């Protein structure tokens, strides 16, 4: 959420391309994610290393931000492949590497780590931040009582935004089935459904 908000604050003319690293990806899967993010034909290029790397290098000559989430899933050799892409002389796009534990993954890839311009760590939400942050995240929370949100934060979410995303999903689905106001009862049901999984 914090990274999405920061990317949203970039000037409107700055393109942002989003990719997610797969679980235990190989080089073809990483290439496919990057190609898809740039709107290139991943199916045709994924297993043609030279052609895929040339296409990516050309695409990254356009200024913008390439946001790669779940970087903690990448091994040092895959992170080195990313470094090589951004070492191309014409590269103008900025990589934004993100994910819980991504700093440890990048730290294991010394050549990439040495090129990091800035590091940011986003801590868990403070209770006072929850109502405003949730309203930015999804309109389902616009009319919710801040006291109810604070209760759900203390009882279930505990500063974890992924948990809030799950609560949002449950509340949204319940409202879709039976439209009404978001109240404590609805939140309690959503939190009860989540507790075995959190």
């Amino acid at each position: 959420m914090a990274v999405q908000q920061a990317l949203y604050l970039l000037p409107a003319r700055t393109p942002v391309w989003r990719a997610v690293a797969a679980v235990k990806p190989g080089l073809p899967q990483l290439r496919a994610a990057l190609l898809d993010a740039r709107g290139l034909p991943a199916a045709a290029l994924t297993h043609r290393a030279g052609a895929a790397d040339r296409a990516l290098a050309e695409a990254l000559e356009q200024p913008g931000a390439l946001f790669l989430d779940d970087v903690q899933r990448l091994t040092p050799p895959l992170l080195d492949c990313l470094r090589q892409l951004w070492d191309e002389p014409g590269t103008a796009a900025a990589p934004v590497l993100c994910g819980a534990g991504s700093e440890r993954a990048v730290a294991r890839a010394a050549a990439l780590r040495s090129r990091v311009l800035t590091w940011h760590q986003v801590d868990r939400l403070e209770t006072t931040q929850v109502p405003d942050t949730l309203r930015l995240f999804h309109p389902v929370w616009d009319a919710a009582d801040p006291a109810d949100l604070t209760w759900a934060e203390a009882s279930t979410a505990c500063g974890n935004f992924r948990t809030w995303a799950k609560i949002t999903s449950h509340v949204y689905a319940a409202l879709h089935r039976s439209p009404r106001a978001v109240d404590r009862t609805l939140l309690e049901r959503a939190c009860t459904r989540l507790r075995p999984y959190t």
Side-chain angles (χ1 to χ4, degrees):
M1 175 68 177
V3 175
Q4 296 291 355
Q5 183 65 14
L7 293 172
Y8 176 77
L9 294 173
L10 289 171
R13 65 186 178 278
T14 305
V16 175
W17 309 288
R18 290 170 174 82
V20 178
V23 177
K24 295 185 179 178
L27 187 52
Q29 290 81 20
L30 177 60
R31 272 196 197 105
L34 297 175
L35 290 165
D36 282 340
R38 288 297 289 118
L40 298 169
L45 293 171
T46 300
H47 295 288
R48 296 171 44 216
D53 290 344
R54 281 191 300 279
L56 281 170
E58 287 175 15
L60 295 174
E61 289 176 357
Q62 178 185 356
L66 193 140
F67 168 54
L68 181 57
D69 200 4
D70 290 330
V71 168
Q72 72 277 8
R73 297 173 174 171
L74 301 180
T75 61
L78 292 177
L79 290 167
D80 196 54
C81 289
L82 285 178
R83 178 199 53 82
Q84 290 172 11
L85 274 172
W86 267 274
D87 276 354
E88 289 289 323
T91 299
V96 179
L97 308 178
C98 185
S102 60
E103 71 283 357
R104 290 186 299 276
V106 171
R108 290 191 299 267
L112 180 61
R113 182 187 64 219
S114 69
R115 288 162 173 78
V116 172
L117 178 63
T118 184
W119 298 86
H120 293 280
Q121 179 170 336
V122 180
D123 294 324
R124 290 180 180 268
L125 290 174
E126 296 291 332
T127 303
T128 56
Q129 298 172 306
V130 169
D132 290 337
T133 303
L134 289 178
R135 289 184 183 102
L136 287 171
F137 174 62
H138 199 284
V140 76
W141 302 116
D142 286 348
D145 184 344
D148 292 340
L149 298 177
T150 301
W151 171 84
E153 167 65 17
S155 69
T156 306
C158 302
N160 186 323
F161 199 80
R162 287 182 192 261
T163 303
W164 270 113
K166 293 174 189 177
I167 294 170
T168 302
S169 176
H170 288 299
V171 167
Y172 183 77
L175 292 175
H176 186 68
R177 288 189 302 272
S178 175
R180 62 187 184 136
V182 175
D183 58 11
R184 175 71 66 97
T185 304
L186 185 59
L187 267 173
E188 285 176 356
R189 284 190 198 135
C191 290
T192 300
R193 292 186 68 187
L194 259 172
R195 283 194 189 113
Y197 306 106
T198 56

